[in-house]
Amino acid sequence: MAASLYPDYPPNLTAEQSDYLLTNLKDWSILNGLAVRPSFSFVSEALDPSRSLAVTAPVTLFPSLFPRVCFEEARAIQKAYNELYALIARDEDWLQEIVEELVDVDDFIANLWNIHLTVKKEGYVQPLSLGIFRSDYMVHKDPSHADSKPQIRQVEFNTIASSFGGLAAKVSGLHSHLLSISAYPPTAPSLITKATLPPNPSVKSISRGLVTAHKAYGPSKAKPQLPLCILFVVQDPENNAFDQHALASTIFEEHDVLTFRLPFHKALEHTRIPEDLTSRPLIYEPPHSPGIIYEVTTLYFRAGYAPTEYTSSKSWEARLHLERSAAIKCPSILTHLAGSKKIQQILATPSSPHLERFLATTASAEFIERVRATFAAIYPLDGTPAGKYAIDIATDPDKAKGYVLKPQREGGGNNIYGLKIPPFIRSLGNDSRKYRGHILMELIEPPALRNSIFRNGEVRSGEVIGELGVYGVCLWQHGHDVAELKTLENWEAGYLLRTKGRESEEGGVAAGFGAVDSVCLINV
Amino acid sequence: MAASLYPDYPPNLTAEQSDYLLTNLKDWSILNGLAVRPSFSFVSEALDPSRSLAVTAPVTLFPSLFPRVCFEEARAIQKAYNELYALIARDEDWLQEIVEELVDVDDFIANLWNIHLTVKKEGYVQPLSLGIFRSDYMVHKDPSHADSKPQIRQVEFNTIASSFGGLAAKVSGLHSHLLSISAYPPTAPSLITKATLPPNPSVKSISRGLVTAHKAYGPSKAKPQLPLCILFVVQDPENNAFDQHALASTIFEEHDVLTFRLPFHKALEHTRIPEDLTSRPLIYEPPHSPGIIYEVTTLYFRAGYAPTEYTSSKSWEARLHLERSAAIKCPSILTHLAGSKKIQQILATPSSPHLERFLATTASAEFIERVRATFAAIYPLDGTPAGKYAIDIATDPDKAKGYVLKPQREGGGNNIYGLKIPPFIRSLGNDSRKYRGHILMELIEPPALRNSIFRNGEVRSGEVIGELGVYGVCLWQHGHDVAELKTLENWEAGYLLRTKGRESEEGGVAAGFGAVDSVCLINV
C-alpha cells in the first residue's frame, strides 16, 4: 500500500529541519504533559530516587499514513463492538460454558470466575456495568490481489485497562502543532494537512464515560451520606501515570468530580464495606486525610488485568472485595472475562454462529457482516474439526508461516510466529492440555511504512507497523430478566495508533517496543 | 509578622500526607508544563545528550503567607511604575547625563549607549516601544516599632527579560489544585482557602502585551509583503525555556500569532534588513524552512541582558543590527538603560526630585507619595553630599550592618552584605572610580517565614524569604516633539513570588537558590 504509493514519505529532513522538528517536539510534549517517567534503564533509581524526572513519551516524529477507508470503518463499527461485548458480559450461561473449558489450563480465568460465583451467591448489588473498551486492528491487504482494497483485521479486543487514551489525544495534538508551525516540510503530493489529521477526542470522551457512570450511581448509599468519588485502581509504581492523569485532570477540571488513585495492593487497607449496610457502599479512606472519607461510585481498573499482579491470596481477596461492593466496576469480573482471548477465538472461528446470535436484535445482517469482516480467522487447538484443521497447519512449516500462535492465558507476551510454530508444537509432546492453552491466528501482514520514533531522547528511523485502536464507552444494566437488560449509553470514543519498528514482534508502548502515533489519512 | 502570628504555618504533615502532596505536586507539574530541563549537576550531559529529560521547576510545597495590604499596594502602583519607566526611556537628555557618569566604570552601559547614538544618527524608524516590566519587592516592617504595619520595599525594577511570568501563573495553579484536592490539611485558623489564593493572570496578560505590540506594528513593510511573526531572542541553551514556551503557546493558540525562537548569537546569521528599504523591516529567515521568510514585528529579548552574553564585537554588532530595524523592541536600548541600577539609585536617593518631575502630569501628589514609599534608600558612593554620607556608613561596621553594597554593573550577583562591607571598601583603596562602581542600599529585613522547597527531586524545609514581583505591560510612542509622546497601553500583568532559603543571599530561581511560589494572603 503506502510504502509503494508514497515511497518518499516521510520526507527527508535537513539538519536544520530535523533540529527544528525535534526541539519543538521535545518542548511541546513536556509543556503539554505528553510524558512518561523514564525507565530505570534510562535513569537509574540512584540518580532520581524520588522519581521526579520525566521525558517525552515514546512518539513518532510524523503521523503515519493510514487508509481513510480503514480508519472510518473501524470507528463506524465500534458501537456494535461495544454492544457485542456488553451482551457477552451479560450472557452468563455462555460465558460459563467457555470458562469451564479453560479452568484446567488457566488458573487466572478460573479465579476470576470463582469471584463471580461467590458474589453471585451473595447477590450482586450493582446492576450497572461500565465498559471502556479498545478494539485493536491492523491494516491487511490480500497479498494475492495487487489491487485489492486494504481492510482492517482485529488483533484483540480489550475490556480492561484499555490504556493510552490520555496520551493518544496528545500525540494528535503534537502532530497538528508541528504541522501548524511548519515543522513538516512540504511534500508532493501534500499529505500532512489539516484535513488529513482527524481530531482525536479520546481524553474527553473516555473521561465523559467515567463521569457518566459516576452520575448513574446516584446518591450516596452510606449513612450518613458521604461525598462521592471515582477511584482509579492502579499499579504502583506506574511509569505511564500521565496517561491516566490526563483523564483524571479532565474529570476534575471539566466535570468537577473527584478522583483518587488506589494502588491495587492497597485495596484492602484503604477501602471497606460497612457490614451493617446491605447496599454495600465502598468506602474509601484516603491515607492522607484521616477522618475524611468518601464513597466510591466507580472503580476504574488500570491494574488487576495481568496474572502477575496477583501475587498472593490477598490479591484475590481484594478483587473479590471490590467486586462485591456497590461501586460500578469498569470492568466487572464478567466484562473482564468477556475480553479473554478464548471469546475472541470463538467469535472468529470460521462458521461460528455467535456473532449473529448476539447482534441479531440490534444490527442488520449487512452490519453484522461488516463486523465479521474485521475478524482474522482464529482456531482452537483441540479436538473439534476447526481444532484439527489448525493442528495440521501448526505442524506444517509451509502452512504455519502465515500464522501466529498465541497463549490462551491473559497477560500478553510470548507469541510464536510462523516458522517457529512447528518446533514449538513438537516441544509440547502429546499433552492435549498444553495444546488447548493456545490459539492459532491468521497472521495479518500489514503494509510496511516508514517513520521515525523518538524514545529516551533518541531517534530511530526505519520500517514500521501501525496498530489502530478504537475506544468505546458503554454503560449497561444487568438484571434477572430480559426486561431489565438494557444499554444506557454507547459511544465511540476516539482512537490510538501505536507504531513499532518492523523488527520487534511484540506491541506494547510502555514495554518500550513502540511509540504512540497519530494517523495521516490517505485515500487508497 | 507571619512567623510570630502564625507559628504553625505551614502545617506539619504525616508521612501519608506528605506523600500525597508530593506525588500530586510532581505529577501535576509535569502534566501542566511547570518544568525545567534539569541542570547538568543533576543529570549529566552524557546521560541525556539530547536534553530530553525534564523535572518539576523549583517550587514551594505551600503558598507563602503574604500581607494582603502589601500585595494589593504593589499591584495598585504598577501602572504608575510602568508610566515612570516609559517616561524615563523617553527622556534622552536625562539618560545621557546619567550614562556619561557611568561610561568610565561600566563598559556595558557605555556600549548600549553607543548603540543608541549610532541608531539615532541614522534615524530611528520605529516610534513604538514595548515594556514588559517586573518590579520586585520585599516586605519590610520597621523593627523599632513592634506594631507597625508591613510595607513593600522595592528591590529592583526590571526592564529587560522579566522572567518567570510563564511559570508563576502555573505555580498559582498548582497550589490552587493542591488545595482543591485536599492536599493541604486543615489549619486553625483556616489560612489556605480559595479567597486567600488570588488568581495570577501573568501568562495571559504578558502574552497579550506581546500580541498588542505585534498588532500595533501594522502591515508588512517589505516588498512584496511578508507574513509577520514575533521573535523571542533567547539564550542557548536555556534551561528555563518552558517559562517562555508558556507565553509562546498562549500567543499562538489564543491569538493565532506565530512566534519563533532566535538564539542571540544567531541574530546576524538568521535575520537581515534589506538595504534598499528605508523602512528597515527585519527579515527572519528560519533555518528550518529555506525559502519561507517572515517579517518580525516584535523582538522580545529574553537574552542580551547580561554582560557575559556579549562575547565579542559580533554580539554588539548583532544588538545594533536588531535595534536599527523597524521591529518593535521589548525593550529598546533606551528602555534597557532605564532599568539600570543607577537610575533606581537616583530615584531613590533621599530628596531626589526626579520621581515628582516624571509623574507630575499623570499622577496626584498622594499617589506619587505611594510610589516613593516603596523606595528603600539608595546612595551613590561619590563626592555628592549623599555619596559622602554613604561612604561614612559603608566604612563603619555599626552603621553598615543595615545595608547592602551592590555593583552598578548590570548582571546581578556579588552583592556584599552588612559587616562584610567595610573590609571590602578598604580593599578598594582610594580609587574613587571603583567606589563609583557601587551603590549602597538600605537592607530590607523581611519577616522570616517557613516553607518547603521542592527542587531536583528533594524537599528542603526551613526559614525562607519571599520576593514579590509585579509584572507590567506598557506600549508607548517616542517622537520628536512632545505631542508625539504618548502611552498607548498600560496595564498591571500579574505577579511572581520567589522564595529562597534564608541562608542564601542571592535571589535567582534559575540559578538554583530559590523557588517559584504563590501568595497566601493574610490580614495583618
Side-chain angles (χ1 to χ4, degrees):
Chain A
M1 178 198 70
S4 47
L5 275 179
Y6 304 105
D8 297 333
Y9 187 88
N12 287 320
L13 303 180
T14 65
E16 288 81 6
Q17 287 170 333
S18 173
D19 184 56
Y20 181 71
L21 192 159
L22 269 179
T23 300
N24 279 286
L25 181 153
K26 286 189 291 181
D27 287 355
W28 190 96
S29 58
I30 295 299
L31 196 66
N32 291 280
L34 175 51
V36 293
R37 297 288 175 200
S39 63
F40 287 133
S41 63
F42 182 20
V43 175
S44 71
E45 192 160 9
L47 180 69
D48 183 27
S50 68
R51 308 286 288 146
S52 300
L53 287 165
V55 67
T56 300
V59 295
T60 58
L61 270 56
F62 297 87
S64 282
L65 300 182
F66 202 93
R68 184 183 288 273
V69 60
C70 293
F71 184 73
E72 287 174 353
E73 183 64 5
R75 296 183 79 168
I77 60 175
Q78 184 60 37
K79 283 176 69 178
Y81 262 122
N82 295 343
E83 188 76 46
L84 173 63
Y85 277 85
L87 287 164
I88 291 172
R90 286 184 289 206
D91 192 342
E92 215 179 303
D93 295 341
W94 192 61
L95 279 176
Q96 179 170 11
E97 222 173 276
I98 294 163
V99 166
E100 279 174 358
E101 262 189 67
L102 290 174
V103 285
D104 57 341
V105 293
D106 195 329
D107 290 348
F108 186 64
I109 295 284
N111 282 322
L112 288 175
W113 183 252
N114 283 336
I115 286 179
H116 162 63
L117 293 181
T118 308
V119 180
K120 190 182 175 192
K121 198 169 165 191
E122 184 181 11
Y124 277 97
V125 289
Q126 179 53 262
L128 300 178
S129 251
L130 178 68
I132 294 180
F133 300 140
R134 201 186 67 222
S135 185
D136 291 339
Y137 307 93
M138 282 186 172
V139 170
H140 178 70
K141 197 174 166 231
D142 186 342
S144 54
H145 296 87
D147 53 357
S148 66
K149 289 283 172 200
Q151 295 181 305
I152 45 170
R153 286 281 187 279
Q154 192 176 52
V155 178
E156 65 178 348
F157 191 90
N158 303 281
T159 60
I160 183 167
S162 305
S163 58
F164 292 107
L167 298 185
K170 293 191 178 188
V171 173
S172 282
L174 168 69
H175 289 157
S176 290
H177 177 74
L178 292 172
L179 167 65
S180 68
I181 62 164
S182 309
Y184 295 135
T187 54
S190 187
L191 292 170
I192 313 179
T193 68
K194 278 189 182 177
T196 59
L197 303 189
N200 188 353
S202 57
V203 171
K204 284 181 186 285
S205 196
I206 294 170
S207 301
R208 186 160 62 87
L210 287 161
V211 170
T212 300
H214 175 81
K215 289 181 178 162
Y217 180 85
S220 166
K221 304 174 196 299
K223 289 173 188 164
Q225 291 202 321
L226 293 173
L228 304 175
C229 73
I230 296 175
L231 212 49
F232 283 35
V233 182
V234 297
Q235 297 182 339
D236 180 27
E238 169 62 86
N239 282 352
N240 193 29
F242 296 109
D243 179 49
Q244 300 159 4
H245 291 322
L247 304 177
S249 148
T250 302
I251 290 169
F252 185 58
E253 282 162 26
E254 296 185 12
H255 303 277
D256 208 21
V257 173
L258 267 179
T259 69
F260 292 99
R261 296 172 66 77
L262 172 70
F264 182 43
H265 65 90
K266 296 278 180 82
L268 291 173
E269 192 179 334
H270 296 149
T271 67
R272 63 182 170 81
I273 298 171
E275 286 188 18
D276 56 338
L277 291 177
T278 52
S279 57
R280 284 183 240 150
L282 183 66
I283 310 300
Y284 173 57
E285 301 179 315
H288 65 273
S289 66
I292 303 175
I293 60 177
Y294 299 85
E295 180 172 339
V296 180
T297 64
T298 311
L299 281 165
Y300 178 41
F301 282 91
R302 291 294 293 257
Y305 55 86
T308 50
E309 292 177 79
Y310 293 77
T311 50
S312 75
S313 62
K314 280 278 171 198
S315 317
W316 288 107
E317 200 183 312
R319 186 72 189 266
L320 169 62
H321 161 70
L322 298 174
E323 186 71 10
R324 63 185 288 276
S325 80
I328 297 173
K329 270 72 69 181
C330 177
S332 67
I333 290 281
L334 290 177
T335 311
H336 185 169
L337 284 167
S340 63
K341 289 173 185 165
K342 183 72 182 177
I343 304 281
Q344 189 197 4
Q345 168 221 314
I346 290 171
L347 292 172
T349 300
S351 80
S352 154
H354 300 289
L355 181 66
E356 242 132 359
R357 183 170 67 80
F358 281 115
L359 292 185
T361 58
T362 57
S364 66
E366 185 221 336
F367 203 84
I368 292 171
E369 266 325 293
R370 281 168 67 182
V371 175
R372 191 193 307 284
T374 66
F375 294 159
I378 303 182
Y379 303 92
L381 295 182
D382 59 17
T384 63
K388 284 176 186 160
Y389 177 73
I391 292 169
D392 177 53
I393 291 169
T395 49
D396 179 339
D398 263 2
K399 296 176 182 163
K401 68 186 175 198
Y403 289 81
V404 54
L405 192 72
K406 295 183 171 190
Q408 286 274 14
R409 277 175 181 281
E410 299 309 312
N414 303 312
N415 292 344
I416 292 151
Y417 289 84
L419 294 178
K420 290 180 185 159
I421 298 173
F424 178 81
I425 290 286
R426 277 197 299 277
S427 76
L428 299 181
N430 285 320
D431 187 345
S432 69
R433 200 164 155 275
K434 286 186 181 164
Y435 277 54
R436 281 190 286 137
H438 295 82
I439 57 154
L440 190 73
M441 184 170 172
E442 250 187 308
L443 206 50
I444 309 165
E445 276 287 5
L449 300 166
R450 294 188 61 82
N451 208 332
S452 299
I453 289 175
F454 180 74
R455 187 173 160 269
N456 287 356
E458 289 176 332
V459 175
R460 293 198 186 174
S461 302
E463 283 206 351
V464 296
I465 297 177
E467 189 171 316
L468 178 74
V470 176
Y471 296 99
V473 169
C474 195
L475 180 71
W476 67 89
Q477 184 169 304
H478 282 264
H480 294 294
D481 57 61
V482 176
E484 288 172 356
L485 298 177
K486 56 184 166 190
T487 299
L488 303 172
E489 301 281 352
N490 180 1
W491 66 80
E492 181 267 317
Y495 81 96
L496 162 71
L497 185 65
R498 265 185 306 185
T499 288
K500 56 184 177 175
R502 202 173 167 86
E503 69 287 2
S504 72
E505 284 172 341
E506 295 294 329
V509 176
F513 294 100
V516 184
D517 195 350
S518 79
V519 297
C520 176
L521 298 177
I522 49 173
N523 299 316
V524 286
Chain B
M1 180 197 71
S4 47
L5 274 179
Y6 303 106
D8 297 333
Y9 187 89
N12 288 317
L13 303 179
T14 64
E16 288 80 7
Q17 288 170 333
S18 174
D19 184 57
Y20 181 69
L21 193 159
L22 269 176
T23 300
N24 279 285
L25 181 153
K26 286 190 291 183
D27 287 355
W28 190 96
S29 57
I30 294 300
L31 195 68
N32 291 279
L34 175 50
V36 293
R37 297 289 177 201
S39 62
F40 287 133
S41 64
F42 181 21
V43 175
S44 72
E45 193 161 7
L47 180 70
D48 182 27
S50 67
R51 309 284 289 144
S52 300
L53 288 164
V55 68
T56 301
V59 294
T60 58
L61 269 57
F62 297 87
S64 282
L65 299 182
F66 202 92
R68 184 182 288 273
V69 60
C70 292
F71 183 73
E72 287 175 353
E73 182 66 5
R75 297 184 78 170
I77 60 174
Q78 185 59 35
K79 284 178 66 176
Y81 261 122
N82 295 343
E83 188 77 47
L84 173 64
Y85 277 86
L87 287 163
I88 292 172
R90 287 185 286 206
D91 192 341
E92 215 180 297
D93 295 342
W94 191 62
L95 279 176
Q96 179 169 9
E97 224 173 274
I98 294 165
V99 165
E100 279 175 357
E101 263 188 66
L102 289 174
V103 285
D104 57 342
V105 295
D106 195 329
D107 290 350
F108 185 63
I109 295 284
N111 282 323
L112 287 175
W113 183 251
N114 284 336
I115 287 178
H116 163 61
L117 293 181
T118 306
V119 179
K120 192 184 173 187
K121 200 169 165 188
E122 183 182 13
Y124 276 96
V125 290
Q126 178 52 263
L128 300 178
S129 252
L130 178 68
I132 295 179
F133 300 139
R134 202 189 65 223
S135 186
D136 291 339
Y137 307 93
M138 281 185 173
V139 171
H140 179 70
K141 198 174 165 232
D142 188 342
S144 54
H145 296 86
D147 53 358
S148 66
K149 288 283 172 200
Q151 294 181 306
I152 45 170
R153 286 280 187 277
Q154 192 178 50
V155 178
E156 65 178 349
F157 191 90
N158 303 282
T159 61
I160 184 168
S162 303
S163 57
F164 292 109
L167 298 186
K170 294 192 177 186
V171 174
S172 282
L174 167 68
H175 289 157
S176 290
H177 176 74
L178 292 173
L179 167 65
S180 68
I181 62 164
S182 310
Y184 295 135
T187 55
S190 188
L191 292 169
I192 313 178
T193 68
K194 278 191 181 176
T196 59
L197 303 188
N200 188 355
S202 57
V203 171
K204 284 181 186 285
S205 197
I206 294 170
S207 302
R208 186 159 63 86
L210 288 160
V211 170
T212 300
H214 175 81
K215 290 182 179 161
Y217 179 85
S220 167
K221 304 172 196 300
K223 288 169 190 170
Q225 292 202 319
L226 292 174
L228 305 175
C229 74
I230 296 175
L231 212 49
F232 284 34
V233 182
V234 297
Q235 298 181 338
D236 181 27
E238 169 63 86
N239 282 353
N240 193 29
F242 297 109
D243 179 48
Q244 300 159 5
H245 291 320
L247 304 177
S249 144
T250 303
I251 290 169
F252 185 59
E253 282 162 28
E254 296 185 12
H255 302 277
D256 208 19
V257 173
L258 267 179
T259 68
F260 292 100
R261 296 171 65 78
L262 172 70
F264 181 44
H265 66 90
K266 296 279 179 81
L268 291 172
E269 191 179 334
H270 296 149
T271 67
R272 62 182 172 83
I273 298 171
E275 286 187 17
D276 56 338
L277 291 177
T278 53
S279 58
R280 284 184 240 148
L282 184 67
I283 311 299
Y284 173 57
E285 300 179 315
H288 66 272
S289 66
I292 303 176
I293 61 177
Y294 299 85
E295 180 172 342
V296 181
T297 63
T298 311
L299 282 165
Y300 177 41
F301 283 91
R302 291 294 293 257
Y305 57 86
T308 49
E309 292 176 80
Y310 294 78
T311 50
S312 75
S313 62
K314 281 278 172 200
S315 316
W316 289 107
E317 201 183 309
R319 186 72 190 266
L320 170 62
H321 161 71
L322 298 175
E323 186 71 10
R324 63 185 288 274
S325 80
I328 299 173
K329 270 73 69 181
C330 177
S332 68
I333 291 281
L334 291 177
T335 311
H336 185 171
L337 285 167
S340 64
K341 289 173 186 164
K342 183 70 181 177
I343 303 280
Q344 189 197 4
Q345 167 220 315
I346 291 171
L347 292 172
T349 300
S351 79
S352 154
H354 299 289
L355 181 66
E356 242 131 359
R357 183 169 67 81
F358 281 115
L359 292 185
T361 59
T362 56
S364 66
E366 185 222 337
F367 203 83
I368 293 171
E369 268 323 295
R370 283 169 63 183
V371 174
R372 191 194 307 285
T374 66
F375 294 161
I378 302 182
Y379 303 92
L381 295 182
D382 59 16
T384 63
K388 284 175 185 163
Y389 177 74
I391 292 170
D392 177 51
I393 293 170
T395 50
D396 179 338
D398 262 4
K399 294 175 183 165
K401 68 185 176 199
Y403 289 83
V404 54
L405 192 73
K406 296 184 171 188
Q408 285 274 15
R409 279 176 179 282
E410 299 308 312
N414 302 315
N415 291 345
I416 293 153
Y417 289 84
L419 294 177
K420 289 180 184 158
I421 298 173
F424 178 79
I425 291 286
R426 279 197 299 278
S427 76
L428 299 180
N430 285 320
D431 187 343
S432 68
R433 196 163 155 276
K434 286 185 181 163
Y435 277 55
R436 280 190 288 137
H438 295 82
I439 56 153
L440 190 72
M441 184 168 173
E442 253 188 308
L443 206 51
I444 311 164
E445 276 288 3
L449 300 166
R450 294 187 62 81
N451 208 332
S452 299
I453 288 174
F454 180 75
R455 186 172 160 269
N456 286 356
E458 288 176 332
V459 175
R460 292 196 188 177
S461 302
E463 282 205 353
V464 296
I465 297 176
E467 190 173 315
L468 177 74
V470 177
Y471 296 98
V473 169
C474 196
L475 181 71
W476 67 90
Q477 185 170 302
H478 281 265
H480 293 295
D481 55 59
V482 175
E484 287 174 353
L485 299 177
K486 57 184 169 191
T487 299
L488 303 173
E489 300 282 353
N490 181 1
W491 67 78
E492 181 266 319
Y495 81 96
L496 162 71
L497 185 65
R498 264 186 306 185
T499 289
K500 56 185 176 175
R502 203 174 168 86
E503 68 290 358
S504 72
E505 283 170 340
E506 295 294 330
V509 177
F513 294 99
V516 184
D517 196 351
S518 79
V519 297
C520 176
L521 298 177
I522 47 172
N523 298 316
V524 286

